[in-house]
Amino acid sequence: MSDRSLSPAWLASWSSRVSETLLAMTREFERRHGCPPGVNEVRPADHADLSATRTLAQVSLVPGDLVTFYESIGEVTWADVGNGYFVASAADVLLGFQQYGTVDLGADQKHRGLVIGSNGGGLSYAVGPSGVIYRTRTASLDEPELDQVADDLRELLDLLERSLTQFAANGDPGSL
């Protein structure tokens, strides 16, 4: 396993750190923003998530780190961090794959990936078999224009944590 690969221990540490920051953010949210907070959590994987993860792991283009992620974390819902950040559950990723197939990750249409999340602004995050994370430039997945946002899932999670920390400090999540 490389230093960049996800492990259950790393995910537990990440989840603990961001959950503390989310708790502090939601305590102050209504005072700072004038409305009550929505759902802001890192939900641990449950039995149904693990079952969906086993099925998702059989899809050939699923990188190992995504399976490791879903064996620990059910989903990420940060409704109030900027426009919102969401990492879908394994069941939702699997459902999207079954209903819509894969998404083109390159102009040559030889690279395919799975949509794993979104932000509240309508942009989607997709992962390819190599683990690279892309974000759409528009809300459309039909012929998406994509930008690489992270070399792997661990980097994406680090970027999400930085956005959360920045948002909790000054109300600006940056541009992830």
Side-chain angles (χ1 to χ4, degrees):
M1 177 166 32
S2 80
D3 290 345
R4 297 292 310 159
S5 292
L6 291 180
S7 69
W10 189 91
L11 286 165
S13 176
W14 179 85
S15 180
S16 177
R17 288 190 314 270
V18 298
S19 293
E20 286 177 25
T21 305
L22 287 167
L23 184 60
M25 180 200 78
T26 56
R27 273 192 232 129
E28 294 291 316
F29 192 84
E30 189 165 6
R31 182 186 65 73
R32 289 175 79 179
H33 301 282
C35 61
V39 176
N40 295 280
E41 68 179 356
V42 176
R43 186 178 59 74
D46 61 21
H47 180 72
D49 294 313
L50 296 175
S51 178
T53 299
R54 284 188 294 276
T55 304
L56 186 62
Q58 296 173 17
V59 176
S60 64
L61 48 102
V62 174
D65 278 351
L66 190 62
V67 173
T68 301
F69 175 83
Y70 284 130
E71 289 172 340
S72 295
I73 296 175
E75 69 184 316
V76 174
T77 303
W78 297 353
D80 296 313
V81 179
N83 288 333
Y85 292 107
F86 309 92
V87 179
S89 69
D92 287 343
V93 172
L94 188 59
L95 181 63
F97 171 67
Q98 291 167 339
Q99 289 182 339
Y100 305 108
T102 58
V103 63
D104 292 329
L105 297 179
D108 59 11
Q109 296 186 353
K110 291 182 182 177
H111 296 92
R112 310 290 294 171
L114 297 172
V115 174
I116 61 167
S118 64
N119 68 22
L123 304 182
S124 296
Y125 296 96
V127 63
S130 69
V132 173
I133 308 292
Y134 299 88
R135 181 190 60 222
T136 60
R137 292 183 193 156
T138 65
S140 174
L141 289 171
D142 293 332
E143 293 182 24
E145 295 179 30
L146 300 157
D147 294 311
Q148 180 177 333
V149 294
D151 289 335
D152 53 33
L153 190 54
R154 182 172 173 165
E155 184 179 1
L156 177 67
L157 296 174
D158 283 337
L159 291 169
L160 285 170
E161 182 176 4
R162 279 187 243 156
S163 291
L164 169 62
T165 302
Q166 183 175 321
F167 182 78
N170 66 21
D172 178 11
S175 61
L176 178 63

